[in-house]
Amino acid sequence: MRWDLFCRVIDNFGDIGVCWRLAADLGSRGESVRLWVDDPSALAWMAPAGAAGVQVVEWTADTPLPEPCDVVVEAFGCDPPAAFVERMAATRPVWVNLEYLSAEDYVERSHGLPSPQRNGLTKWFFYPGFTPRTGGLLREPGLIAQRQAFERMPWLARHGIVPGPGERVVSLFCYDNGQLPGLLHLLSDTPTLLLAAPGAAQRMLETAGTSLPGLVRWQALPWLTQPDFDRLLWACDLNFVRGEDSFVRAQWSAAPFVWHIYPQHDQAHAAKLDAFLARFGGGPSVRALWHAWNGLGLWPSSLPPCEEWTAECRRWRESLVAEQDLTTQLLRFVRQKG
Ligand code: TRH
């Protein structure tokens, strides 16, 4: 099929990150995707080589609007241009709104619901999620096999990262976070190499400067391509991730991970975080750590026991892998509605 996928970059990199993964995954399965994005700049580092079957169109007010494809996906309710929607009334593509990821109960109730539109078309809600009654998670065919076959030391060496003997390797991708001193204190019980993503993590560590605890050192990373970002998560003993896409990718890594959830002014993120924890499990020590990193509780005195935590993450990944991935589900959904 031919797909129009619309992406508006609201902030950060999750909007384009999710859309690119979906577009590339569809392309690898023989679909043909026109990815409309208002700010494609991040693709220069995220996906410099592009992807088979994916054409990127810079979406501005002046972009000429061609005939709509067989399927129109708008990411996160980003509203395709009105003139395009008018043309859709004539060609009648399947129209899908790909929603935000959440583990909250409303997702199961809302996934797959129709929304009748003024132009006579139906827009269908498609919700990613963690349970069989949701649209699932992006997981490319072969991803888990690649992860199992991955060798961390050569990858780290190729990226100029040389952990000392017994040094714990921790990735850090986060928003500005006043909780960093608490985290550094917690990590200071063991030699630790913190690999900091560009942006807030690096800025905060630069500011921390000489106040870094003795056993903790850090190294700045460049922006990695998405496949290399995945490998970073596979190479680390512990991953701090954020937003939506890196959060999911940490779950495929199955190394212990901590989520810095996108903060919302009305505190809605606290319920969203707890909804995930309720499904994931992890026990009180994981819960306390996640709450502390998100400013929702006091710091525990130590990290969760590593073996149990790792086993929990592996069990969680196995349970997710038993579900169908998002792209497979979306393809089936669209064929049913078409
Ligand atoms: O950047 P994020 O915080 O994105 C978002 C946005 O805030 C968005 O508006 C919000 O709706 C959503 O979160 C919940 O975090 P996320 O989702 O993890 O996206 C980051 C993307 O960047 C992801 O696709 C991984 C990619 N990435 C790389 O490819 N290379 C890198 O080096 C790094 C650090 C990230």
Side-chain angles (χ1 to χ4, degrees):
M1 286 179 285
R2 294 175 313 119
W3 299 63
D4 282 307
L5 170 52
F6 283 89
C7 172
R8 212 183 282 279
V9 175
I10 306 292
D11 61 2
N12 303 320
F13 309 109
D15 307 292
I16 186 61
V18 168
C19 289
W20 179 258
R21 289 217 199 259
L22 173 60
D25 195 9
L26 285 167
S28 80
R29 299 175 196 221
E31 305 293 307
S32 167
V33 184
R34 213 155 46 184
L35 171 58
W36 300 77
V37 51
D38 60 347
D39 177 5
S41 55
L43 290 176
W45 49 265
M46 209 178 257
V54 182
Q55 179 203 353
V56 177
V57 183
E58 189 160 354
W59 172 20
T60 67
D62 307 324
T63 310
L65 298 170
E67 171 139 321
C69 290
D70 311 312
V71 187
V72 175
V73 178
E74 55 174 286
F76 313 125
C78 72
D79 285 333
F84 190 82
V85 172
E86 248 171 58
R87 295 187 72 171
M88 284 164 63
T91 61
R92 306 193 70 78
V94 179
W95 186 1
V96 174
N97 180 10
L98 175 66
E99 274 292 349
Y100 288 106
L101 173 65
S102 173
E104 288 161 294
D105 290 340
Y106 75 84
V107 169
E108 288 191 345
R109 289 196 301 273
S110 317
H111 175 58
L113 290 184
S115 165
Q117 301 293 301
R118 256 172 293 169
N119 63 359
L121 291 183
T122 298
K123 177 153 67 173
W124 299 95
F125 286 104
F126 194 94
Y127 278 81
F130 302 93
T131 62
R133 287 165 59 200
T134 69
L137 300 170
L138 283 165
R139 188 183 74 242
E140 302 78 8
L143 180 78
I144 303 299
Q146 282 175 39
R147 196 269 173 265
Q148 312 285 27
F150 175 71
E151 289 184 42
R152 76 192 285 242
M153 291 318 275
W155 187 89
L156 287 170
R158 265 203 309 284
H159 289 80
I161 301 163
V162 186
E167 196 173 38
R168 170 169 60 197
V169 185
V170 179
S171 74
L172 186 63
F173 181 43
C174 59
Y175 306 110
D176 279 315
N177 191 335
Q179 303 301 322
L180 185 71
L183 174 65
L184 293 175
H185 176 72
L186 208 63
L187 293 175
S188 67
D189 63 340
T190 303
T192 298
L193 172 56
L194 261 181
L195 300 176
Q202 289 183 15
R203 266 198 316 274
M204 290 191 298
L205 284 162
E206 270 154 20
T207 309
T210 50
S211 64
L212 223 60
L215 289 181
V216 179
R217 66 186 180 107
W218 73 280
Q219 183 170 340
L221 296 175
W223 288 116
L224 300 170
T225 64
Q226 268 189 343
D228 262 332
F229 180 71
D230 285 348
R231 284 167 180 75
L232 170 74
L233 301 177
W234 302 349
C236 287
D237 302 302
L238 169 60
N239 292 307
F240 284 78
V241 286
R242 74 183 200 190
E244 178 161 329
D245 184 61
S246 59
F247 170 52
V248 171
R249 304 315 277 195
Q251 294 170 56
W252 301 137
S253 166
F257 63 100
V258 181
W259 184 25
H260 193 187
I261 192 168
Y262 187 78
Q264 286 166 270
H265 295 300
D266 55 4
Q267 295 294 307
H269 60 281
K272 191 171 169 178
L273 185 93
D274 283 343
F276 178 80
L277 281 170
R279 294 194 192 280
F280 172 72
S285 57
V286 170
R287 187 186 168 81
L289 173 65
W290 282 41
H291 274 200
W293 181 232
N294 285 282
L296 299 170
L298 297 175
W299 282 98
S301 54
S302 60
L303 285 176
C306 183
E307 265 178 41
E308 281 169 38
W309 195 5
T310 306
E312 195 86 43
C313 293
R314 292 209 177 128
R315 269 199 299 276
W316 176 247
R317 182 179 64 189
E318 293 325 307
S319 72
L320 294 179
V321 167
E323 314 287 343
Q324 276 197 325
D325 69 90
L326 186 145
T327 304
T328 302
Q329 294 206 46
L330 182 61
L331 280 162
R332 197 182 53 226
F333 186 83
V334 161
R335 283 193 194 107
Q336 276 167 2
K337 304 300 177 199

